Amino acid sequence: PKTTLTKKFKFEKILRPEDSNAELHAQAISGEVQSAVVAGESITVLAFGARGTGKTLTMRSPDGLVMRVAEDIFAAVPKGGQSLVSVSCLLSAVTPPAQSNLTGRQVTHEVLLDGLLPQGETGEVYRGGLTVREHPRKGFFVEGLQDIEVKDLAECREYLEVGIRNCQLEEARCGTKGEGTPLRVHCLFTIRIRHRTPEGEETVTEVQLVDLAGWIRDKPAPKGKVSDKSESGIVGEDMVVKAFQRIIGQLEQKASHIPYRDSKMTRILKPALGGSATLVPIIHVALDNYDETEAMLALATKMQALKNVIAPSTINYTNEIRALREQARPLAQQLGRDPDVRSADLQIGAVASDDLLQLRELLVSAEQLEKDSMSWQEIQTSSRDFKRDGGRSAAENRVDRQPKKEPRFREISDEEFKRAGSNDSKGHKGEQRTPDFKLKLRSRQQDDNSQVSSNRPPTLQDDNSQTGGRRPAASDIGMKTTESQGQAAGVKDIDSISAKLAMLQEAKAEKDMDSISSKLAELQMRKGSSSRLRSMSKA
């Protein structure tokens, strides 16, 4: 350290490096997860720290928190009524920095990938990733992400292992400098517990397990040209980590605007970052690096100051829809509409009454709740389709990756080259193209040029005898042009125009040559006269 001053930080629990994952799980995680599941509240367990401090070992190892938390969830699933447990895995890949032509700065992009689908090959590039949408009641969600129903703990662990394996494969591509390779990969495992009581109340509990990639303190790039092999040439700004740090700082200062939209991952983590979910951060520090340790401890102190308003997500769709329909029915009768009218049947003009606008809002809310109430059946249907073929159809129709493209041009063999030349000798009308279409195009151009030269009228140099040996005049050029048009009556218009241009160019060339020869003769005469005058003066 650069100073001898000591700084003290106070935390709820501090674990030593030799403590195991079982001790961490028993002391800080297990009780929090089970109590949240029983109460129907959402909870997020987040591992964050510098690179090489053991975050992946804590979260994704065989005895890590991801596998241990799954056991806690199934032990705390509410009894009575109906329950549905589903698993999803999301990967946030940060692309290597690219030079911006507008600002001149290096810009990175965040691409969301489905962790339950096979990871891409080295040659595959990202298509743009999954899209984050915002629901009016549920908040941010990822559109198109696979959410698979699991019946028991064994099946849940099976899909979690698939997600962990795909995370490792995607991380293995980092720094390979190939096309479509990521710079860093963040992992998010989500286990949702949907519980429906006999009275129709439905509660959705989300347990999020987040493994953020390692944090690196920014270092100024060296001056001068940077080689591709240096570390500064491949290390770019991690927009997810930067957005996470900004949000924590703004929440601590109680700012009016919180930049959740600075990254896609922070939008999904909004309930845990100042929202309605419980946040359990696990900060990893590096004892061999004073700067990184100080930065992580300061961030952990800020996170301790956050205060979330915990609230369960419970709704009774039947009662809510009935209440909205009862409010909309008198308005529809007052406006002369059908009591069971739909929002699509209402035509809102430039000038509409307040009653009509209120009726439309009530109908839209009721129809949205009817659509949300079908999510239980939709998850069961999509899970059956996914399990039927092992996710092959979902992988074929995925939207987060672009399949590897075949090369646009291929190298042809000598036999194909000879075959293409033999096909050209037969004529190009009505025949099929050969694989080497550039060779075909070149042969057709040669045939067209030969046809133009054969149909072109005689040049002015060959026909000077008709003008008495003198140079052709403008009238002769017009006469020859007219004669050439008559002689080439069967030639296409493009051939006649080419012939005219050729004649005019030759005439212009002869005119230029005559002017150049006359200038040379004049210069020679001047030179001869000057030499005679010089000799006379000497005499």
Side-chain angles (χ1 to χ4, degrees):
K2 299 179 181 179
T3 178
T4 58
L5 299 177
T6 59
K7 296 182 180 180
K8 295 183 179 181
F9 300 90
K10 185 178 180 179
F11 300 103
E12 184 178 354
K13 287 184 176 63
I14 300 177
L15 281 82
R16 298 168 298 177
E18 57 269 16
D19 292 337
S20 62
N21 289 335
E23 296 176 349
L24 170 62
H25 173 258
Q27 295 182 23
I29 307 300
S30 179
E32 295 286 346
V33 171
Q34 291 189 14
S35 60
V37 173
V38 171
E41 301 169 355
S42 298
I43 184 172
T44 299
V45 180
L46 185 143
F48 184 60
R51 294 182 75 177
T53 53
K55 299 181 301 301
T56 301
L57 181 65
T58 302
M59 298 298 294
R60 291 185 276 142
S61 61
D63 64 337
L65 295 182
V66 173
M67 293 298 178
R68 293 180 179 273
V69 167
E71 184 177 354
D72 296 332
I73 291 173
F74 278 90
V77 170
K79 306 300 180 182
Q82 300 177 353
S83 296
L84 187 147
V85 182
S86 60
V87 177
S88 65
C89 178
L90 181 68
L91 307 182
S92 173
V94 180
T95 61
Q99 193 76 16
S100 175
N101 296 328
L102 182 62
T103 62
R105 299 180 58 187
Q106 288 188 341
V107 181
T108 58
H109 299 279
E110 181 185 7
V111 182
L112 297 183
L113 308 173
D114 196 332
L116 294 182
L117 298 180
Q119 65 92 29
E121 298 178 359
T122 304
E124 288 188 352
V125 297
Y126 301 128
R127 183 176 292 179
L130 301 174
T131 306
V132 178
R133 305 291 185 186
E134 187 173 8
H135 192 275
R137 186 179 58 85
K138 300 178 182 179
F140 291 106
F141 69 98
V142 181
E143 185 180 24
L145 182 65
Q146 298 293 330
D147 197 9
I148 307 302
E149 178 188 8
V150 290
K151 299 295 184 181
D152 50 14
L153 177 60
E155 190 178 9
C156 180
R157 285 182 171 177
E158 179 182 351
Y159 283 102
L160 289 176
E161 290 176 356
V162 172
I164 291 174
R165 183 167 59 253
N166 289 333
C167 289
Q168 295 174 351
L169 292 174
E170 194 68 22
E171 286 179 342
R173 302 173 59 203
C174 295
T176 55
K177 297 184 180 181
E179 185 180 6
T181 57
L183 180 66
R184 292 184 184 89
V185 179
H186 309 277
C187 304
L188 169 62
F189 300 88
T190 304
I191 304 177
R192 292 182 179 87
I193 304 96
R194 294 173 173 85
H195 182 72
R196 183 182 296 170
T197 62
E199 293 78 14
E201 277 195 359
E202 184 174 332
T203 303
V204 180
T205 302
E206 288 190 2
V207 180
Q208 294 179 335
L209 306 169
V210 188
D211 181 12
L212 291 181
W215 175 80
I216 304 176
R217 179 178 287 274
D218 294 335
K219 298 179 181 179
K223 295 182 179 180
K225 186 177 180 181
V226 180
S227 62
D228 296 336
K229 298 181 180 179
S230 64
E231 184 180 0
S232 58
I234 60 175
V235 175
E237 185 183 60
D238 191 342
M239 58 186 305
V240 177
V241 175
K242 291 290 185 181
F244 178 75
Q245 292 177 327
R246 281 194 297 268
I247 289 173
I248 297 299
Q250 294 294 323
L251 288 173
E252 185 204 14
Q253 299 175 5
K254 297 181 180 180
S256 58
H257 172 69
I258 309 300
Y260 291 109
R261 295 180 179 270
D262 285 1
S263 77
K264 299 176 183 179
M265 182 65 78
T266 53
R267 296 184 212 175
I268 304 168
L269 297 177
K270 181 181 178 180
L273 302 177
S276 59
T278 303
L279 175 62
V280 183
I282 305 174
I283 305 299
H284 295 67
V285 296
L287 300 180
D288 57 345
N289 192 315
Y290 177 83
D291 294 336
E292 292 182 352
T293 302
E294 182 187 9
M296 288 296 100
L297 294 177
L299 179 64
T301 304
K302 294 179 181 180
M303 296 180 71
Q304 282 191 135
L306 302 183
K307 293 182 179 180
N308 295 358
V309 181
I310 311 302
S313 176
T314 304
I315 187 174
N316 192 321
Y317 287 107
T318 305
N319 295 342
E320 293 288 339
I321 295 172
R322 186 188 301 114
L324 292 173
R325 291 293 183 185
E326 290 177 356
Q327 295 180 22
R329 190 172 291 107
L331 287 175
Q333 294 176 356
Q334 182 180 352
L335 296 173
R337 305 279 183 170
D338 186 7
D340 298 330
V341 66
R342 308 288 294 181
S343 62
D345 300 334
L346 299 179
Q347 296 182 358
I348 307 298
V351 179
S353 61
D354 296 339
D355 294 339
L356 184 59
L357 295 176
Q358 184 181 1
L359 175 62
R360 184 177 180 276
E361 291 178 1
L362 292 173
L363 294 177
V364 169
S365 301
E367 293 169 5
Q368 182 64 46
L369 288 177
E370 291 175 354
K371 183 180 179 180
D372 295 341
S373 63
M374 301 299 295
S375 60
W376 191 299
Q377 291 77 10
E378 291 176 357
I379 291 174
Q380 291 178 336
T381 303
S382 61
S383 299
R384 285 194 297 268
D385 297 340
F386 186 89
K387 296 176 182 179
R388 185 180 298 112
D389 59 354
R392 287 190 296 271
S393 60
E396 293 175 357
N397 300 324
R398 65 191 308 175
V399 297
D400 54 351
R401 288 188 185 276
Q402 183 176 357
K404 186 177 180 180
K405 294 183 178 180
E406 297 182 358
R408 187 175 179 182
F409 302 101
R410 67 179 182 90
E411 184 178 359
I412 62 175
S413 60
D414 296 338
E415 296 180 358
E416 292 179 341
F417 185 81
K418 294 178 180 179
R419 194 183 308 115
S422 62
N423 291 337
D424 287 339
S425 61
K426 300 177 183 179
H428 62 269
K429 290 186 178 181
E431 67 178 2
Q432 296 181 354
R433 292 187 177 181
T434 59
D436 191 1
F437 62 91
K438 291 200 293 186
L439 176 64
K440 172 70 69 176
L441 180 60
R442 191 181 305 112
S443 63
R444 291 186 181 180
Q445 289 178 351
Q446 294 175 359
D447 295 343
D448 294 340
N449 294 334
S450 61
Q451 183 180 6
V452 170
S453 61
S454 62
N455 294 328
R456 192 183 64 184
T459 60
L460 296 177
Q461 293 179 355
D462 298 335
D463 202 26
N464 284 347
S465 59
Q466 298 180 7
T467 59
R470 61 179 175 83
R471 298 183 182 88
S475 58
D476 297 331
I477 296 174
M479 179 183 64
K480 293 299 180 183
T481 304
T482 306
E483 292 177 358
S484 65
Q485 292 178 354
Q487 294 174 358
V491 185
K492 297 181 180 179
D493 295 339
I494 184 65
D495 298 336
S496 60
I497 293 173
S498 301
K500 292 180 182 179
L501 291 175
M503 292 174 60
L504 293 175
Q505 288 176 358
E506 291 177 0
K508 183 178 180 182
E510 290 185 0
K511 185 177 180 180
D512 294 339
M513 289 297 297
D514 293 342
S515 61
I516 292 172
S517 59
S518 61
K519 288 182 180 180
L520 288 174
E522 184 178 357
L523 289 175
Q524 290 176 358
M525 291 176 62
R526 290 181 180 179
K527 184 177 181 181
S529 60
S530 61
S531 60
R532 287 194 300 271
L533 290 174
R534 196 178 298 111
S535 60
M536 290 174 63
S537 61
K538 288 182 180 180

